[in-house]
Amino acid sequence: MITVASVAEELAAEVIVRGDIKRPVKGCYISDLLSDVMARATEGDLWITLQTHTNIVAVSIIKGISAIVLTNGRRPEEETAKRAEKEGMPILVYQGSTFEAAGKVYLLLTGDKNR
């Protein structure tokens, strides 16, 4: 089973908000548009985004997202981190690009050994 913790390890991501890092990750959704995530993300998805404002936490809770991954070294706004902590929503910071994060998560989720 792939968990938020195993994704954090694979990405060598900084865990900004720990939340429940033992949550299973069933898939991945990548978007910076909240309305798109609301319409298309599914429960158990990992959400990769550049957005750092507090609304990402609200959308994640509503959709049952496993964790939020911020790319390009972006850090959540202070209020976002506080809200995520209160809600138990993990937030990870990945220093690389969204493209790199997506590729690594894809390989992890599909079990592809040809990395």
Side-chain angles (χ1 to χ4, degrees), residues 14-53:
E14 180 181 357
V15 180
I16 300 294
V17 177
R18 188 168 176 83
D20 180 6
I21 63 170
K22 293 182 180 179
R23 282 185 189 160
V25 175
K26 299 176 184 175
C28 182
Y29 200 76
I30 304 164
S31 183
D32 296 324
L33 295 173
L34 300 180
S35 59
D36 182 49
V37 176
M38 285 294 294
R40 301 185 193 283
T42 59
E43 187 174 340
D45 278 351
L46 184 76
W47 179 13
I48 299 176
T49 185
L50 296 172
Q51 296 292 344
T52 61
H53 55 80

Short mmCIF file of all heavy atoms in Angstrom, two decimals, residues 14-53:
data_model
loop_
_atom_site.label_atom_id
_atom_site.label_comp_id
_atom_site.label_asym_id
_atom_site.label_seq_id
_atom_site.Cartn_x
_atom_site.Cartn_y
_atom_site.Cartn_z
N GLU A 14 9.85 17.72 2.09
CA GLU A 14 9.76 18.20 3.47
C GLU A 14 8.30 18.12 3.91
O GLU A 14 7.41 18.58 3.19
CB GLU A 14 10.24 19.66 3.53
CG GLU A 14 10.19 20.25 4.92
CD GLU A 14 10.64 21.70 4.96
OE1 GLU A 14 11.03 22.26 3.92
OE2 GLU A 14 10.57 22.28 6.06
N VAL A 15 8.06 17.53 5.04
CA VAL A 15 6.70 17.43 5.57
C VAL A 15 6.46 18.68 6.42
O VAL A 15 6.98 18.80 7.53
CB VAL A 15 6.50 16.14 6.40
CG1 VAL A 15 5.08 16.08 6.94
CG2 VAL A 15 6.82 14.91 5.56
N ILE A 16 5.68 19.59 5.89
CA ILE A 16 5.40 20.86 6.57
C ILE A 16 4.32 20.66 7.63
O ILE A 16 4.41 21.13 8.74
CB ILE A 16 4.96 21.95 5.57
CG1 ILE A 16 6.06 22.20 4.54
CG2 ILE A 16 4.56 23.24 6.28
CD1 ILE A 16 7.32 22.80 5.09
N VAL A 17 3.26 19.96 7.22
CA VAL A 17 2.18 19.59 8.15
C VAL A 17 2.08 18.08 8.10
O VAL A 17 1.85 17.50 7.04
CB VAL A 17 0.84 20.25 7.75
CG1 VAL A 17 -0.26 19.78 8.69
CG2 VAL A 17 0.95 21.77 7.77
N ARG A 18 2.27 17.47 9.24
CA ARG A 18 2.31 16.01 9.30
C ARG A 18 0.94 15.37 9.08
O ARG A 18 0.79 14.47 8.28
CB ARG A 18 2.91 15.57 10.63
CG ARG A 18 3.16 14.11 10.70
CD ARG A 18 4.02 13.78 11.91
NE ARG A 18 4.20 12.37 12.05
CZ ARG A 18 5.11 11.66 11.40
NH1 ARG A 18 5.92 12.25 10.56
NH2 ARG A 18 5.20 10.36 11.57
N GLY A 19 -0.05 15.83 9.80
CA GLY A 19 -1.36 15.21 9.66
C GLY A 19 -1.27 13.71 9.80
O GLY A 19 -0.42 13.19 10.53
N ASP A 20 -2.09 12.99 9.07
CA ASP A 20 -2.07 11.53 9.09
C ASP A 20 -1.26 11.05 7.89
O ASP A 20 -1.82 10.84 6.81
CB ASP A 20 -3.49 10.97 9.05
CG ASP A 20 -3.52 9.46 9.06
OD1 ASP A 20 -2.45 8.83 9.21
OD2 ASP A 20 -4.63 8.91 8.90
N ILE A 21 0.05 10.89 8.06
CA ILE A 21 0.88 10.49 6.93
C ILE A 21 0.81 8.98 6.64
O ILE A 21 1.43 8.50 5.70
CB ILE A 21 2.35 10.94 7.09
CG1 ILE A 21 3.01 10.30 8.29
CG2 ILE A 21 2.44 12.45 7.14
CD1 ILE A 21 4.51 10.52 8.36
N LYS A 22 0.01 8.27 7.41
CA LYS A 22 -0.22 6.85 7.12
C LYS A 22 -1.42 6.64 6.20
O LYS A 22 -1.76 5.51 5.87
CB LYS A 22 -0.41 6.07 8.42
CG LYS A 22 0.85 6.02 9.25
CD LYS A 22 0.67 5.21 10.50
CE LYS A 22 1.97 5.20 11.29
NZ LYS A 22 1.85 4.44 12.52
N ARG A 23 -2.05 7.74 5.79
CA ARG A 23 -3.19 7.65 4.87
C ARG A 23 -2.76 6.97 3.57
O ARG A 23 -1.69 7.26 3.03
CB ARG A 23 -3.69 9.03 4.48
CG ARG A 23 -4.51 9.71 5.47
CD ARG A 23 -5.03 11.01 4.90
NE ARG A 23 -5.66 11.76 5.97
CZ ARG A 23 -5.88 13.05 5.93
NH1 ARG A 23 -5.54 13.77 4.89
NH2 ARG A 23 -6.46 13.64 6.94
N PRO A 24 -3.61 6.12 3.02
CA PRO A 24 -3.31 5.53 1.72
C PRO A 24 -3.45 6.57 0.60
O PRO A 24 -4.29 7.46 0.68
CB PRO A 24 -4.35 4.42 1.57
CG PRO A 24 -5.41 4.71 2.54
CD PRO A 24 -4.83 5.59 3.61
N VAL A 25 -2.61 6.42 -0.40
CA VAL A 25 -2.69 7.24 -1.61
C VAL A 25 -3.14 6.32 -2.74
O VAL A 25 -2.44 5.37 -3.08
CB VAL A 25 -1.33 7.89 -1.94
CG1 VAL A 25 -1.39 8.65 -3.26
CG2 VAL A 25 -0.89 8.81 -0.81
N LYS A 26 -4.31 6.60 -3.29
CA LYS A 26 -4.90 5.73 -4.31
C LYS A 26 -4.65 6.24 -5.73
O LYS A 26 -4.76 5.48 -6.68
CB LYS A 26 -6.40 5.61 -4.07
CG LYS A 26 -6.75 5.00 -2.73
CD LYS A 26 -8.23 4.99 -2.51
CE LYS A 26 -8.58 4.46 -1.13
NZ LYS A 26 -10.02 4.57 -0.86
N GLY A 27 -4.37 7.52 -5.85
CA GLY A 27 -4.16 8.12 -7.16
C GLY A 27 -3.55 9.49 -6.99
O GLY A 27 -3.10 9.85 -5.91
N CYS A 28 -3.56 10.25 -8.07
CA CYS A 28 -2.95 11.57 -8.03
C CYS A 28 -3.72 12.50 -8.95
O CYS A 28 -4.17 12.09 -10.03
CB CYS A 28 -1.49 11.46 -8.48
SG CYS A 28 -0.59 13.01 -8.45
N TYR A 29 -3.88 13.74 -8.52
CA TYR A 29 -4.50 14.75 -9.37
C TYR A 29 -3.60 15.97 -9.35
O TYR A 29 -3.09 16.36 -8.29
CB TYR A 29 -5.92 15.11 -8.89
CG TYR A 29 -6.69 15.76 -10.00
CD1 TYR A 29 -7.20 15.00 -11.04
CD2 TYR A 29 -6.85 17.13 -10.05
CE1 TYR A 29 -7.87 15.59 -12.09
CE2 TYR A 29 -7.52 17.73 -11.10
CZ TYR A 29 -8.03 16.95 -12.12
OH TYR A 29 -8.67 17.54 -13.18
N ILE A 30 -3.41 16.56 -10.52
CA ILE A 30 -2.51 17.71 -10.66
C ILE A 30 -3.29 18.85 -11.28
O ILE A 30 -3.79 18.74 -12.41
CB ILE A 30 -1.30 17.37 -11.54
CG1 ILE A 30 -0.58 16.16 -10.98
CG2 ILE A 30 -0.38 18.57 -11.67
CD1 ILE A 30 0.38 15.51 -11.93
N SER A 31 -3.40 19.94 -10.53
CA SER A 31 -4.09 21.12 -11.03
C SER A 31 -3.85 22.28 -10.08
O SER A 31 -3.64 22.08 -8.89
CB SER A 31 -5.60 20.87 -11.16
OG SER A 31 -6.24 22.01 -11.72
N ASP A 32 -3.89 23.48 -10.66
CA ASP A 32 -3.79 24.68 -9.84
C ASP A 32 -5.13 25.41 -9.77
O ASP A 32 -5.22 26.45 -9.14
CB ASP A 32 -2.72 25.62 -10.41
CG ASP A 32 -1.34 25.00 -10.34
OD1 ASP A 32 -1.06 24.29 -9.35
OD2 ASP A 32 -0.55 25.21 -11.27
N LEU A 33 -6.14 24.85 -10.42
CA LEU A 33 -7.48 25.45 -10.40
C LEU A 33 -8.35 24.71 -9.39
O LEU A 33 -8.61 23.52 -9.53
CB LEU A 33 -8.13 25.37 -11.78
CG LEU A 33 -7.45 26.17 -12.89
CD1 LEU A 33 -8.11 25.85 -14.23
CD2 LEU A 33 -7.53 27.65 -12.60
N LEU A 34 -8.78 25.43 -8.37
CA LEU A 34 -9.60 24.80 -7.33
C LEU A 34 -10.87 24.20 -7.90
O LEU A 34 -11.28 23.11 -7.49
CB LEU A 34 -9.93 25.82 -6.24
CG LEU A 34 -8.74 26.45 -5.52
CD1 LEU A 34 -9.23 27.43 -4.46
CD2 LEU A 34 -7.84 25.41 -4.91
N SER A 35 -11.50 24.89 -8.84
CA SER A 35 -12.74 24.38 -9.43
C SER A 35 -12.49 23.08 -10.19
O SER A 35 -13.34 22.19 -10.18
CB SER A 35 -13.37 25.42 -10.36
OG SER A 35 -12.47 25.77 -11.40
N ASP A 36 -11.34 22.95 -10.81
CA ASP A 36 -10.99 21.72 -11.52
C ASP A 36 -10.81 20.57 -10.54
O ASP A 36 -11.30 19.46 -10.76
CB ASP A 36 -9.71 21.95 -12.32
CG ASP A 36 -9.30 20.74 -13.13
OD1 ASP A 36 -10.16 20.18 -13.84
OD2 ASP A 36 -8.12 20.35 -13.06
N VAL A 37 -10.13 20.83 -9.43
CA VAL A 37 -9.93 19.81 -8.41
C VAL A 37 -11.28 19.40 -7.82
O VAL A 37 -11.55 18.21 -7.63
CB VAL A 37 -8.96 20.30 -7.31
CG1 VAL A 37 -8.83 19.27 -6.19
CG2 VAL A 37 -7.60 20.61 -7.91
N MET A 38 -12.13 20.37 -7.56
CA MET A 38 -13.47 20.08 -7.04
C MET A 38 -14.26 19.18 -8.00
O MET A 38 -14.97 18.28 -7.58
CB MET A 38 -14.25 21.37 -6.79
CG MET A 38 -13.81 22.12 -5.56
SD MET A 38 -14.13 21.24 -4.02
CE MET A 38 -15.91 21.21 -4.01
N ALA A 39 -14.10 19.41 -9.28
CA ALA A 39 -14.87 18.66 -10.27
C ALA A 39 -14.29 17.27 -10.57
O ALA A 39 -15.05 16.35 -10.88
CB ALA A 39 -14.97 19.46 -11.57
N ARG A 40 -12.99 17.11 -10.48
CA ARG A 40 -12.38 15.89 -11.02
C ARG A 40 -11.53 15.04 -10.07
O ARG A 40 -11.31 13.87 -10.34
CB ARG A 40 -11.53 16.25 -12.23
CG ARG A 40 -12.34 16.91 -13.32
CD ARG A 40 -11.50 17.14 -14.55
NE ARG A 40 -12.12 18.02 -15.51
CZ ARG A 40 -13.10 17.69 -16.32
NH1 ARG A 40 -13.61 16.48 -16.28
NH2 ARG A 40 -13.59 18.56 -17.18
N ALA A 41 -11.03 15.60 -8.99
CA ALA A 41 -10.22 14.80 -8.07
C ALA A 41 -11.12 13.79 -7.36
O ALA A 41 -12.32 14.03 -7.19
CB ALA A 41 -9.52 15.69 -7.05
N THR A 42 -10.53 12.67 -6.98
CA THR A 42 -11.31 11.65 -6.29
C THR A 42 -10.71 11.36 -4.92
O THR A 42 -9.53 11.64 -4.65
CB THR A 42 -11.38 10.34 -7.11
OG1 THR A 42 -10.06 9.86 -7.33
CG2 THR A 42 -12.06 10.57 -8.44
N GLU A 43 -11.52 10.79 -4.07
CA GLU A 43 -11.10 10.47 -2.71
C GLU A 43 -9.86 9.59 -2.74
O GLU A 43 -9.79 8.62 -3.51
CB GLU A 43 -12.23 9.75 -1.97
CG GLU A 43 -11.92 9.54 -0.51
CD GLU A 43 -13.10 8.97 0.25
OE1 GLU A 43 -14.24 9.07 -0.22
OE2 GLU A 43 -12.85 8.42 1.34
N GLY A 44 -8.89 9.93 -1.91
CA GLY A 44 -7.65 9.16 -1.84
C GLY A 44 -6.56 9.68 -2.76
O GLY A 44 -5.44 9.18 -2.72
N ASP A 45 -6.88 10.67 -3.61
CA ASP A 45 -5.86 11.24 -4.49
C ASP A 45 -4.87 12.07 -3.69
O ASP A 45 -5.21 12.70 -2.69
CB ASP A 45 -6.50 12.17 -5.54
CG ASP A 45 -7.07 11.44 -6.73
OD1 ASP A 45 -6.84 10.23 -6.86
OD2 ASP A 45 -7.74 12.11 -7.55
N LEU A 46 -3.65 12.10 -4.18
CA LEU A 46 -2.64 13.04 -3.76
C LEU A 46 -2.84 14.25 -4.68
O LEU A 46 -3.05 14.08 -5.87
CB LEU A 46 -1.27 12.42 -4.00
CG LEU A 46 -0.04 13.17 -3.56
CD1 LEU A 46 0.09 13.03 -2.05
CD2 LEU A 46 1.18 12.60 -4.25
N TRP A 47 -2.78 15.46 -4.15
CA TRP A 47 -2.98 16.65 -4.98
C TRP A 47 -1.66 17.38 -5.11
O TRP A 47 -1.08 17.82 -4.13
CB TRP A 47 -4.03 17.54 -4.35
CG TRP A 47 -4.32 18.82 -5.09
CD1 TRP A 47 -3.94 19.15 -6.36
CD2 TRP A 47 -5.06 19.93 -4.60
NE1 TRP A 47 -4.41 20.39 -6.68
CE2 TRP A 47 -5.09 20.91 -5.62
CE3 TRP A 47 -5.69 20.21 -3.39
CZ2 TRP A 47 -5.73 22.12 -5.46
CZ3 TRP A 47 -6.34 21.42 -3.24
CH2 TRP A 47 -6.36 22.36 -4.26
N ILE A 48 -1.17 17.49 -6.35
CA ILE A 48 0.05 18.24 -6.64
C ILE A 48 -0.36 19.60 -7.19
O ILE A 48 -1.12 19.68 -8.17
CB ILE A 48 0.93 17.48 -7.65
CG1 ILE A 48 1.35 16.12 -7.08
CG2 ILE A 48 2.16 18.32 -8.00
CD1 ILE A 48 2.14 15.26 -8.04
N THR A 49 0.17 20.66 -6.59
CA THR A 49 -0.24 22.02 -6.97
C THR A 49 0.86 23.03 -6.64
O THR A 49 1.79 22.74 -5.89
CB THR A 49 -1.55 22.43 -6.27
OG1 THR A 49 -1.99 23.70 -6.75
CG2 THR A 49 -1.40 22.48 -4.77
N LEU A 50 0.69 24.23 -7.20
CA LEU A 50 1.52 25.38 -6.86
C LEU A 50 0.81 26.31 -5.90
O LEU A 50 1.43 27.22 -5.34
CB LEU A 50 1.88 26.17 -8.13
CG LEU A 50 2.72 25.46 -9.18
CD1 LEU A 50 2.82 26.30 -10.45
CD2 LEU A 50 4.11 25.16 -8.65
N GLN A 51 -0.48 26.10 -5.71
CA GLN A 51 -1.28 26.99 -4.86
C GLN A 51 -0.86 26.85 -3.39
O GLN A 51 -0.62 25.73 -2.92
CB GLN A 51 -2.77 26.67 -4.99
CG GLN A 51 -3.32 26.92 -6.36
CD GLN A 51 -3.37 28.39 -6.73
OE1 GLN A 51 -3.26 29.27 -5.89
NE2 GLN A 51 -3.52 28.66 -8.01
N THR A 52 -0.84 27.96 -2.68
CA THR A 52 -0.39 27.94 -1.28
C THR A 52 -1.40 28.54 -0.32
O THR A 52 -1.17 28.54 0.89
CB THR A 52 0.94 28.69 -1.13
OG1 THR A 52 0.74 30.06 -1.53
CG2 THR A 52 2.04 28.07 -1.97
N HIS A 53 -2.51 29.05 -0.82
CA HIS A 53 -3.48 29.74 0.04
C HIS A 53 -4.39 28.76 0.76
O HIS A 53 -4.48 27.58 0.42
CB HIS A 53 -4.29 30.77 -0.75
CG HIS A 53 -4.96 30.18 -1.94
ND1 HIS A 53 -6.13 29.47 -1.87
CD2 HIS A 53 -4.61 30.21 -3.25
CE1 HIS A 53 -6.47 29.08 -3.07
NE2 HIS A 53 -5.57 29.51 -3.93
#
